[in-house]
Amino acid sequence: EIVLTQSPATLSLSPGERATLSCRASQSVRSNLGWYQQKPGQAPRLLIYGASTRATGIPASFSGSGSGTEFTLTISSLRSEDFAVYYCQHYDDWPPTFGQGTKVEIK
Amino acid sequence: QVQLQESGPGLVKPSQTLSLTCTVSGYSVHSDGVYWSWLRQPAGKGLEWIGRFSSSGGTNYSPSLQSRVTISVDASKNQFSLRLTSVTAADTAVYYCARGWYDSGSGNYYPSGEWGRGTLVTVSA
């Protein structure tokens, strides 16, 4: 089973700042990685798949990069609605696994 | 637009069987090119896959749960169900059903873009 490690666990930033979230895989997942956003009491929302392709309706302020074992989710300028928990998930083989999450909180 | 809705008991006794149903509207559960999943999330913790199925890709279960889990489909009702036997307190979680795209050519199961709202299941005597 592939282990995904996200860092940092918590990111404290102000609105308007840039957020950079990392996800490292225990072995190569090629570009088969996605990112989700989850707010309290809500289901996860798909942001990115294929490491860098935005899902339908996702604003351009969200971007993903990386391949192999190192991936990054960047939020170019944080808005109030972006403060949430973010998970990466690989789908290179079964079972797909999730990282433990990065909480982006208001500083 | 596809919608998914989980339903089932919110309280299950230890050692009994957890049974949940996902009712799908706006899309057929037997359509090609998609897969349907169950996932769960204990309070304050991360997400865990339980299992998935697709018309062309078959069914896969989490290795840690496969001895206790069954996913089945009722095409006449456009529903799919989860059955988890011999539950313990560790199975207490919010359970989600979800839909994702499956590319039979590449074998890729893309991340799920549509989710139900989730249903909390508590295992307690």
Side-chain angles (χ1 to χ4, degrees), chain B residues 10-18 40-43 45 48 65 68 84-95 120-125:
Chain B
L11 181 64
V12 182
K13 289 181 167 49
S15 79
Q16 293 193 342
T17 296
L18 180 160
R40 68 182 183 179
Q41 185 173 35
K45 296 188 178 181
E48 178 187 18
L65 297 171
R68 299 194 291 131
L84 184 66
T85 62
S86 304
V87 297
T88 69
D91 296 309
T92 294
V94 174
Y95 285 74
L120 174 62
V121 178
T122 301
V123 179
S124 174

Side-chain angles (χ1 to χ4, degrees), chain B residues 62-104:
Chain B
S62 164
S64 64
L65 297 171
Q66 64 180 6
S67 64
R68 299 194 291 131
V69 66
T70 304
I71 295 175
S72 58
V73 184
D74 186 337
S76 66
K77 296 181 180 179
N78 213 38
Q79 296 175 334
F80 61 102
S81 298
L82 169 70
R83 192 167 175 270
L84 184 66
T85 62
S86 304
V87 297
T88 69
D91 296 309
T92 294
V94 174
Y95 285 74
Y96 294 100
C97 58
R99 183 191 78 167
W101 297 102
Y102 171 58
D103 181 346
S104 58

